[in-house]
Amino acid sequence: MPVVNDYLNSMYRHIHKTKTYGQNSARFINMIRLLMEDIAPKNILDYGCGQSRLADMMSEYSNADAHRYDPAIDGINFIPLDKYDFITCTDVMEHVVEDDCRKVVGELAALSRNVFFHISTRPAGEILPDGRNAHCTVRNTKWWLGLITEYFPDAEVIFDEYGNGCGIITWKSVHKYIFQEIYYGIRHIQVCIRPE
């Protein structure tokens, strides 16, 4: 049974029904493609997918059976399988109240040993209907890694956006260093190139 905070979920239901929200995870597709080469998944879950089409993009790349789950969106508010080869959980954990974070990570560990997390480590630009910031749990990378390693001992940070977010995987990837070179190289180029 998925971990769902009914009160918080009702606010996200309202947001999803009234605006475009939760579509940013597709920006990670090139990195996820590289990470999926470690696993060659037959089935994939985009956990907390919002309105994103990331699951479809992953399925096209890998030919895996892809599922979407978001408790705040009708039609995908259930998890179809008991186990998955690979799960993405992008920009989700910061939306979970801190008291439920361990339960959610525990649920993910029960579903798969291979999870990619992207977690924002700053307040959101979105305000919930009750006036709270949409990022209920704003913690640093070290805190998130500590929590995740309680359930995934092999978890490691593959990138840190220093104050903005972090990427964590739960298995030892043979592509980790290649990805870091690409990710940090691109970030360095973006910082160094200034428009005229």
Side-chain angles (χ1 to χ4, degrees):
M1 176 106 176
V3 177
V4 177
N5 178 305
D6 290 330
Y7 176 70
L8 196 57
N9 194 46
S10 70
M11 287 188 274
Y12 283 108
R13 279 185 175 282
H14 175 76
I15 288 172
H16 283 298
K17 286 180 179 176
T18 59
K19 59 174 65 175
T20 301
Y21 189 73
Q23 295 186 343
N24 291 332
S25 62
R27 72 187 190 272
F28 294 109
I29 189 60
N30 290 329
M31 177 201 57
I32 289 168
R33 285 177 177 169
L34 184 61
L35 294 172
M36 284 194 307
E37 289 182 15
D38 291 336
I39 301 159
K42 294 197 177 9
N43 54 49
I44 298 166
L45 177 66
D46 188 4
Y47 184 101
C49 61
Q51 298 171 16
S52 171
R53 302 313 301 173
L54 179 62
D56 298 333
M57 295 167 76
M58 290 187 293
S59 181
E60 287 173 18
Y61 173 75
S62 66
N63 294 316
D65 185 23
H67 299 128
R68 299 169 67 227
Y69 165 70
D70 197 298
I73 300 177
D74 292 335
I76 57 170
N77 57 347
F78 62 95
I79 298 172
L81 302 177
D82 293 331
K83 294 286 183 187
Y84 284 89
D85 295 331
F86 181 60
I87 295 176
T88 56
C89 183
T90 59
D91 297 323
V92 173
M93 293 303 301
E94 64 272 18
H95 295 276
V96 177
V97 293
E98 192 166 324
D99 289 346
D100 288 342
C101 285
R102 278 183 173 74
K103 294 176 200 168
V104 171
V105 175
E107 177 178 62
L108 288 164
L111 289 167
S112 182
R113 298 311 301 157
N114 304 304
V115 181
F116 165 71
F117 292 90
H118 178 268
I119 304 169
S120 179
T121 56
R122 61 178 173 73
E126 184 71 34
I127 301 299
L128 296 174
D130 70 354
R132 284 190 289 173
N133 191 278
H135 289 178
C136 304
T137 303
V138 177
R139 294 295 197 141
N140 65 25
T141 300
K142 183 178 178 182
W143 188 87
W144 285 111
L145 182 62
L147 185 150
I148 292 167
T149 55
E150 290 177 22
Y151 297 87
F152 297 97
D154 290 332
E156 57 187 341
V157 175
I158 57 170
F159 64 87
D160 190 339
E161 296 170 320
Y162 303 104
N164 289 314
C166 61
I168 297 173
I169 58 173
T170 61
W171 71 97
K172 299 290 184 192
S173 173
V174 297
H175 296 98
K176 174 188 171 185
Y177 297 107
I178 296 169
F179 175 71
Q180 287 177 336
E181 286 180 28
I182 294 167
Y183 179 82
Y184 289 117
I186 290 169
R187 298 290 292 183
H188 178 72
I189 289 167
Q190 288 173 343
V191 168
C192 292
I193 297 175
R194 304 267 189 251
E196 298 289 333

